[in-house]
């Protein structure tokens, strides 16, 4: 971009004749804030803590749908190479998502391995767009080479099953974070989405898992855990931890999936980073209340229609959506979450964890897919954030925490 601009200026100076010398040099014109945001998005390494592409593709394959061409701007989903490049996204963590049902049915480790195989397959299929990266140095090298690093994070420690040796297995496969649980309590700890309180926080096995992750250098991800688990992790983890895709409870009172102010302060004390989830129901109070109303309607319908087939429940909730459209959040609302983390604990503890491909049709106005980062950066520039602040938010903070994992090795 800079080279192109220099070439244009040179042509204007050398070949423009008399007219060119009369015209003010373009460099004197102030760069618009929109242009500055786009330039920063392109020039700055952007890491996103959570993109659910692997499970979207897995779901499509299960339904017999063909693999989309990820090198071009797709019709479906939120992420592909074309949209990532338009938005300046350089290194998304590909979520290796294990649904909680596998904790009962089995097959969690096998599913994780097959999803990792699939991500490796994407890199083989589109080597000009995607590249493997297991370290910050590889992320940087891919960034300089213009390729998108597909990083690996397991969403739900159920993938470890009941064998601590699997932490090493997944480390060797390139997994660099593990979200301790997902929608239900598992063998490791309790979930923010469940009120079963199986362990009152963590199990003994869970404590061993955290110690082994610390030893090997896999980031502990506290998104999805309940509060007791979070505070126990703060006590026992010898390394800084991340929330790969969580927002702030301050804006969504009572929603335990998001982090309270006290949790953000404790995370910062630990040296960690909260990577903000973009989903509207995580971001705005109205959208979060809409989510509660939707769940209440689903419960009401299933209680009143015990023998109804799943299609009937589906039809009912679709009709409910018509009557009750989701009040979408906006890019500025996402900016509010980042700004509050900064007010609470400083710029060093924020990051981006979009949850693209993982939050359905609930993304905010202006942040509908992986091309949306420049708009968010613009919002922060308008609040007075510096280029250095933006660089910390986009990747610097996460890289600091990642590098800290290996300090003792
Ligand atoms: Zn999640």
């Amino acid at each position: 971009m800079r080279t192109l601009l220099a070439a244009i200026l040179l042509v204007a100076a050398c070949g423009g004749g008399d007219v060119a010398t009369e015209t003010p040099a373009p460099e004197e014109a102030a760069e618009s804030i929109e242009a500055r945001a786009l330039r920063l998005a392109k020039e700055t390494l952007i890491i996103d803590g959570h993109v659910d592409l692997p499970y979207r593709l897995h779901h499509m394959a299960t339904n017999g749908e063909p693999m989309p061409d990820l090198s071009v701007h797709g019709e479906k989903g939120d992420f592909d190479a074309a949209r990532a490049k338009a938005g300046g996204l350089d290194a998304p963590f590909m979520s290796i998502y294990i649904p909680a049902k596998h904790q009962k049915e089995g097959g969690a480790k096998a599913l994780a391995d097959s999803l990792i195989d699939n991500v490796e397959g994407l890199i083989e299929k589109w080597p000009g767009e995607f590249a493997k990266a297991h370290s910050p140095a590889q992320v940087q090298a891919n960034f300089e080479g213009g390729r998108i690093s597909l990083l690996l994070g397991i969403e739900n420690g159920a993938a470890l099953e009941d064998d601590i040796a699997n932490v090493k297995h997944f480390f060797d496969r390139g997994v660099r974070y593990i979200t301790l649980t997902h929608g239900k309590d598992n063998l490791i700890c309790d979930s923010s989405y469940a009120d079963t309180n199986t362990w009152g926080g963590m199990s003994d096995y869970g404590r061993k898992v955290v110690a082994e992750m610390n030893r090997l250098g896999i980031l502990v991800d506290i998104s999805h855990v309940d509060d007791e688990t979070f505070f126990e992790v703060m006590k026992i983890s010898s390394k800084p931890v991340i929330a790969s895709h969580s927002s702030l409870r301050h804006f969504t009172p009572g929603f335990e999936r998001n982090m309270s102010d006290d949790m953000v302060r404790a995370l910062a004390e630990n040296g960690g980073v909260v990577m903000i989830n973009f989903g509207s129901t995580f971001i705005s109070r109205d959208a979060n209340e809409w989510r509660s109303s939707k769940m209440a309607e689903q419960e009401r319908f299933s209680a009143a229609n015990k023998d109804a087939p799943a299609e009937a429940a589906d039809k009912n909730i679709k009709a409910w959506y018509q009557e009750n459209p989701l009040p979408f959040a906006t890019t500025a609302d996402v900016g509010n979450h980042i700004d509050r983390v900064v007010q609470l604990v400083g710029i060093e503890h924020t990051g981006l964890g979009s949850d693209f491909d993982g939050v359905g049709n609930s993304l905010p106005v202006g942040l509908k897919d992986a091309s949306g980062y420049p708009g968010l950066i613009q919002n922060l520039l308008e609040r007075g954030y510096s280029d250095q602040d933006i660089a910390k938010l986009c990747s610097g903070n996460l890289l600091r925490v990642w590098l800290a994992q290996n300090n003792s090795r």
Side-chain angles (χ1 to χ4, degrees):
M1 203 64 182
R2 275 177 178 159
T3 321
L4 183 64
L5 184 62
I8 291 166
L9 291 174
L10 193 67
V11 169
C14 301
D18 292 338
V19 180
T21 55
E22 301 291 322
T23 314
E27 63 193 346
E28 286 172 17
E31 184 183 32
S32 73
I33 200 158
E34 196 177 354
R36 184 177 161 211
L38 183 61
R39 178 175 58 77
L40 280 177
K42 296 282 170 82
E43 289 179 358
T44 308
L45 173 65
I46 299 182
I47 298 178
D48 191 303
H50 200 88
V51 174
D52 267 308
L53 176 71
Y55 206 80
R56 170 161 74 91
L57 297 178
H58 171 78
H59 187 70
M60 288 173 75
T62 310
N63 288 340
E65 294 177 54
M67 163 81 84
D69 182 350
L70 294 174
S71 68
V72 299
H73 191 309
E75 299 282 301
K76 291 184 180 169
D78 314 322
F79 171 89
D80 46 50
R83 283 180 280 179
K85 283 187 176 168
L89 172 59
D90 304 293
F93 271 94
M94 294 284 105
S95 170
I96 304 302
Y97 164 56
I98 309 301
K101 67 175 184 180
H102 291 283
Q103 294 159 203
K104 270 197 178 155
E105 295 172 8
K109 184 190 175 193
L111 176 61
D113 274 321
S114 81
L115 292 173
I116 294 168
D117 293 343
N118 293 348
V119 172
E120 290 175 349
L122 302 180
I123 294 165
E124 274 167 37
K125 194 167 168 124
W126 288 286
E129 277 76 19
F130 300 130
K132 218 183 236 193
H134 297 166
S135 69
Q138 286 170 342
V139 171
Q140 185 64 30
N142 293 337
F143 173 55
E144 285 164 15
R147 294 198 296 163
I148 298 163
S149 297
L150 297 185
L151 306 171
L152 296 172
I154 290 180
E155 182 171 37
N156 193 352
L160 303 172
E161 299 184 345
D162 59 357
D163 186 355
I164 195 86
N166 285 329
V167 181
K168 174 88 163 59
H169 166 79
F170 285 115
F171 179 82
D172 290 343
R173 293 219 62 186
V175 170
R176 290 299 175 264
Y177 79 65
I178 298 174
T179 318
L180 296 179
T181 189
H182 189 256
K184 293 194 171 145
D185 304 347
N186 64 11
L187 294 179
I188 295 171
C189 64
D190 295 343
S191 164
S192 64
Y193 279 146
D195 48 21
T196 30
N197 209 23
T198 307
W199 308 104
M202 302 193 81
S203 68
D204 280 342
Y205 176 64
R207 292 179 194 106
K208 286 182 187 139
V209 165
V210 167
E212 180 68 351
M213 289 170 71
N214 284 164
R215 186 182 75 82
L216 291 167
I218 298 188
L219 291 153
V220 175
D221 176 18
I222 57 79
S223 287
H224 284 289
V225 305
D226 74 347
D227 289 14
E228 286 78 9
T229 301
F230 169 81
F231 284 109
E232 189 160 354
V233 169
M234 289 300 98
K235 276 192 205 137
I236 66 172
S237 178
S238 63
K239 306 277 174 69
V241 313
I242 62 167
S244 69
H245 59 308
S246 293
S247 305
L248 301 189
R249 212 177 289 173
H250 172 78
F251 297 95
T252 58
F255 185 47
E256 203 185 344
R257 174 68 182 78
N258 278 344
M259 296 179 73
S260 70
D261 289 357
D262 280 348
M263 292 164 83
V264 172
R265 288 191 194 96
L267 188 80
E269 210 155 294
N270 154 285
V273 178
V274 50
M275 307 175 85
I276 298 295
N277 190 315
F278 298 172
S280 288
T281 60
F282 290 75
I283 291 296
S284 93
R285 185 173 188 150
D286 285 353
N288 192 259
E289 284 172 357
W290 174 91
R291 174 185 178 277
S292 304
S293 307
K294 181 193 78 173
M295 289 169 67
E297 172 59 19
Q298 283 167 320
E299 273 167 36
R300 184 202 65 74
F301 184 85
S302 63
N305 303 275
K306 284 206 167 67
D307 301 322
E311 297 81 56
D314 244 32
K315 202 174 156 201
N316 175 66
I317 203 66
K318 277 184 182 146
W320 187 88
Y321 287 152
Q322 295 292 324
E323 298 286 307
N324 305 275
L326 167 64
F328 289 106
T330 65
T331 303
D333 292 324
V334 178
N336 288 343
H337 283 248
I338 293 166
D339 214 30
R340 183 163 181 87
V341 178
V342 173
Q343 284 163 23
L344 287 171
V345 293
I347 188 70
E348 280 74 24
H349 304 285
T350 59
L352 306 170
S354 63
D355 217 345
F356 284 141
D357 281 340
V359 287
N361 182 31
S362 79
L363 288 158
V365 177
L367 260 178
K368 292 291 184 191
D369 62 30
S371 67
Y373 301 94
L376 179 57
I377 290 172
Q378 183 179 335
N379 181 271
L380 297 170
L381 292 176
E382 284 162 359
R383 296 171 196 246
Y385 283 60
S386 69
D387 292 12
Q388 289 76 13
D389 292 337
I390 301 293
K392 285 179 183 175
L393 166 81
C394 289
S395 59
N397 296 333
L398 189 274
L399 288 172
R400 180 195 74 232
V401 176
W402 190 352
L403 286 166
Q405 302 303 307
N406 290 316
N407 273 352
S408 60
R409 298 177 74 218

